[in-house]
Amino acid sequence: MSKVILVETSPFLDQKPGTSGLRKQVTVFQQENYLENFVQSVFDCLKELKGSTLVVGGDGRYYNREAIQIIISMAAANGVEKLLIGQAGILSTPAVSHLIRKYKALGGIILSASHNPGGKDGDFGIKYNASNGGPAPESLTDKVFANSKSISQYKTTNNDAIDLEQLSHSSVLGMQIEVIDSVADYADLMESLFDFGKIRDLMAKPEFGICFDAMSAVTGPYATEILGNRLGVSANNIIRAVPLEDFGGGHPDPNLAHAKELVERMFANNAPAFGAASDGDGDRNMILGANCYVTPSDSLAILAANAHLIPAYKDGLTGVARSMPTSQAVDRVAERLNLTSYETPTGWKFFGNLLDANKITLCGEESFGTGSDHVREKDGLWAVLFWLNILAVKQQSIKEIVSEHWKEYGRNFYTRHDFEGVETEDADKVFTHLESLLEKSAGKKYAGRTISIADNFTYHDPIDASVSTNQGIRFLFEDGARIIFRKSGTGTSGATIRLYIEHFESNAAKFEDETQEVLRDLLEAAEEIGQVKALTGKVIADVIT
Ligand code: G6P
Ligand code: ZN
């Protein structure tokens, strides 16, 4: 017979949730009581926990199943009434968001370190989403962190392990446990938003080729059901479709560097018309056409401009939002459509209030995230289906759609340079130096342009009036160009400095120019201003997107 057990524990002082929950190396999570402390710290923040329903699932990475068993025992001992768990422990982040909303759960626990590598030597992560389906607000994560620093005991029970591999009903200490189909509810939601009939017709055309790369991560089963079973894409065009605990040794981050086979197929002579990839937990997306890469910032702008073609958005958008470092391309579309375009700090959680208050319908980030009010997370497969629906209606190639968009709105040339594994002290030097420049920068000239504003971005949330400071150093030029420096909030070792560069071009003759070439003078100006290379010894960026 199971019974509630109180276990004495002592705090770990490093459990501060980052941009997207607590992410650490697997070995850190494997320390005795480490996960338990964090889970109890979350539970102790939730006043309505007793008698509630929680959704639990993860991206299938190493330690996923063990973590779920720990959470089952702790949830039962803490008085949760019901757990909905994805089969085999699998649930994508957007699917968790949807399940929380659909079944009116108190919240959900997502086990993922998103696009970070997995396996024994990789990363693990845990994140709590609230009853709106979105990431917990900072007010809650701050409380979790405070609890984690003073925790002295947690509650668990000595139940037998629950079989997660089969759909089933069981119970522990009176708590109901339902192991549910990981995909069905989410697939039905997608079918309710998009015109599957039109997309199916497009997929059936012999000249329309497609390749989806699930990166051996969570979107495999989702793509197999939605793209394969419901839309007719053949299995050999859904690559790396089986989730693996170590993602096959790969880095499940959908970008030009990490989705190699997909990129090779898409830049070959006989390339398919459409290519896409999603990340570890299924919330990111990368969109490609034949010999053509769509930047996430352009993708957001193009989705906004074409949303009226999609059944779910045919009545128009209420507004749009982008994170601060995301290019201003979507602002131009919003202006044309007479919509407000909100500028938020990096991190999906900042869109939550705007979505809940119905101020925006679409939002996105330069970090390969796009989404809408259908859930409260960014959503990789949703973005793929949105693009396929546009292609099915417009019957044009991706290249044609992108080029037409630039002709209509002008082109925001954009690049991000990442300097990874920087010593924390060196990164601090860069940002102290940047801070020291802010006051005296306005009016200064670089690359033939004049700085109009230099600041450290502060966000005033228009809904709850909360203020978020220190969200990135911006140098804004009179002609609309921008140079932005930000410290990554998702790394697990050392610091990563991100440099974002943008230049707006209205001259159509220059639209096909090479991005890095076009932005070269701004990149040089960025080094002159920020001294990243000089102060960190990093001569070249590790990743350029
Ligand atoms: C996660 C969040 C995104 C955010 C990204 C930023 O993926 O879900 O909303 O844009 O982190 O990562 P960074 O490493 O730049 O802090
Ligand atoms: Zn992710």
Side-chain angles (χ1 to χ4, degrees):
M1 212 22 210
S2 308
K3 58 178 195 323
V4 174
I5 302 170
L6 290 177
V7 180
E8 301 294 315
T9 185
S10 42
F12 294 90
L13 299 177
D14 63 347
Q15 297 196 324
K16 185 175 171 57
T19 318
S20 237
L22 184 68
R23 283 186 198 165
K24 301 276 174 197
Q25 283 160 340
V26 166
T27 47
V28 173
F29 273 101
Q30 284 171 327
Q31 296 174 86
E32 195 179 357
N33 296 341
Y34 193 87
L35 179 68
E36 288 85 344
N37 275 16
F38 188 78
V39 171
Q40 190 67 50
S41 300
V42 172
F43 284 168
D44 288 343
C45 290
L46 306 175
K47 282 196 216 85
E48 296 160 307
L49 185 72
K50 282 211 171 69
S52 69
T53 297
L54 293 178
V55 178
V56 181
D59 62 11
R61 67 178 60 225
Y62 185 81
Y63 201 54
N64 194 35
R65 286 178 168 86
E66 290 87 332
I68 292 177
Q69 297 294 347
I70 290 173
I71 292 166
I72 291 172
S73 305
M74 291 186 65
N78 278 275
V80 172
E81 187 168 301
K82 188 173 182 182
L83 287 187
L84 296 174
I85 305 177
Q87 187 176 10
I90 292 282
L91 283 176
S92 76
T93 291
V96 171
S97 186
H98 174 54
L99 290 167
I100 294 171
R101 295 165 68 78
K102 180 166 179 180
Y103 295 108
K104 306 208 164 22
L106 175 67
I109 297 177
I110 301 174
L111 303 159
S112 169
S114 187
H115 50 286
N116 293 10
K120 280 196 178 79
D121 304 319
D123 288 341
F124 189 74
I126 176 168
K127 160 172 129 159
Y128 180 74
N129 277 27
S131 53
N132 70 346
E138 230 151 45
S139 52
L140 187 83
T141 54
D142 285 348
K143 272 190 213 150
V144 173
F145 183 43
N147 286 350
S148 75
K149 287 190 289 190
S150 63
I151 188 166
S152 60
Q153 60 178 32
Y154 64 83
K155 287 185 201 155
T156 187
T157 184
N158 54 342
N159 62 295
D160 292 335
I162 301 295
D163 177 9
L164 301 175
E165 309 310 309
Q166 314 300 329
L167 302 185
S168 65
H169 284 260
S170 56
S171 74
V172 171
L173 289 179
M175 177 183 79
Q176 301 300 311
I177 301 166
E178 250 185 77
V179 177
I180 59 170
D181 185 314
S182 312
V183 178
D185 290 289
Y186 176 83
D188 291 348
L189 173 67
M190 292 301 115
E191 201 157 354
S192 75
L193 300 174
F194 299 106
D195 191 334
F196 271 37
K198 275 210 178 82
I199 301 177
R200 210 177 297 120
D201 291 345
L202 179 67
M203 297 300 117
K205 289 192 169 178
E207 70 275 18
F208 189 90
I210 175 172
C211 179
F212 178 79
D213 184 358
M215 307 195 86
S216 305
V218 81
T219 48
Y222 293 85
T224 300
E225 169 61 18
I226 298 170
L227 299 178
N229 299 345
R230 299 198 188 192
L231 293 168
V233 174
S234 66
N236 58 350
N237 290 329
I238 304 174
I239 60 175
R240 298 198 277 175
V242 178
L244 300 174
E245 288 196 329
D246 65 348
F247 307 119
H251 196 135
D253 200 1
N255 59 37
L256 294 174
H258 293 123
K260 243 180 153 213
E261 184 184 338
L262 171 71
V263 170
E264 271 163 23
R265 283 199 197 191
M266 297 308 299
F267 286 87
N269 278 336
N270 54 350
F274 181 84
S278 190
D279 71 328
D281 61 329
D283 57 359
R284 294 187 171 200
N285 74 91
M286 174 172 68
I287 303 293
L288 302 164
N291 296 290
C292 160
Y293 159 69
V294 187
T295 69
S297 297
D298 276 351
S299 177
L300 174 63
I302 292 168
L303 298 192
N306 291 286
H308 59 282
L309 305 176
I310 308 295
Y313 311 105
K314 67 176 187 322
D315 297 335
L317 309 173
T318 59
V320 294
R322 62 168 173 82
S323 67
M324 182 274 284
T326 303
S327 100
Q328 300 161 99
V330 73
D331 300 3
R332 297 182 174 274
V333 177
E335 202 181 344
R336 186 82 59 88
L337 297 176
N338 218 354
L339 301 173
T340 305
S341 180
Y342 295 86
E343 185 177 43
T344 58
T346 292
W348 203 261
K349 62 184 173 217
F350 292 103
F351 296 133
N353 279 346
L354 295 168
L355 289 165
D356 285 347
N358 206 20
K359 296 284 184 202
I360 59 170
T361 314
L362 289 189
C363 43
E365 298 185 273
E366 51 69 36
S367 54
F368 296 86
T370 336
S372 88
D373 59 358
H374 69 290
V375 289
R376 292 296 180 274
E377 289 280 3
K378 54 188 180 281
D379 191 341
L381 273 167
W382 167 90
V384 169
L385 293 166
F386 202 131
W387 266 98
L388 289 176
N389 201 154
I390 293 176
L391 294 177
V393 174
K394 293 185 92 127
Q395 301 283 333
Q396 286 176 304
S397 72
I398 297 218
K399 180 83 202 128
E400 283 163 351
I401 291 173
V402 171
S403 299
E404 261 182 23
H405 185 89
W406 291 339
K407 275 196 199 110
E408 187 85 20
Y409 295 95
R411 175 169 183 189
N412 290 70
F413 278 96
Y414 185 82
T415 191
R416 184 178 106 182
H417 287 217
D418 296 337
F419 299 87
E420 297 175 344
V422 174
E423 298 284 337
T424 316
E425 276 169 29
D426 289 346
D428 289 345
K429 270 188 223 153
V430 171
F431 283 86
T432 310
H433 164 69
L434 285 167
E435 284 280 353
S436 76
L437 297 179
L438 294 181
E439 254 177 46
K440 49 193 184 211
S441 284
K444 285 217 164 130
K445 274 206 163 76
Y446 292 92
R449 302 162 163 94
T450 307
I451 294 178
S452 55
I453 296 173
D455 67 2
N456 189 335
F457 181 59
T458 297
Y459 180 58
H460 298 268
D461 187 305
I463 311 301
D464 67 10
S466 61
V467 178
S468 305
T469 56
N470 210 15
Q471 299 296 326
I473 305 277
R474 312 188 293 177
F475 296 89
L476 312 181
F477 291 86
E478 281 171 358
D479 67 350
R482 302 192 301 166
I483 295 177
I484 296 159
F485 299 87
R486 215 190 122 252
K487 244 191 252 177
S488 157
T490 55
T492 50
S493 60
T496 294
I497 299 176
R498 303 207 194 284
L499 167 62
Y500 312 82
I501 306 272
E502 176 179 6
H503 156 73
F504 177 68
E505 181 60 67
S506 56
N507 178 357
K510 296 189 173 166
F511 288 165
E512 300 299 328
D513 290 358
E514 209 278 313
T515 301
Q516 299 302 319
E517 278 305 314
V518 171
L519 300 177
R520 182 179 299 276
D521 59 346
L522 281 166
L523 282 161
E524 282 164 9
E527 178 57 21
E528 197 179 329
I529 295 171
Q531 307 273 307
V532 174
K533 295 178 185 173
L535 290 170
T536 65
K538 285 229 141 213
V539 196
I540 47 164
D542 297 279
V543 179
I544 296 179
T545 47

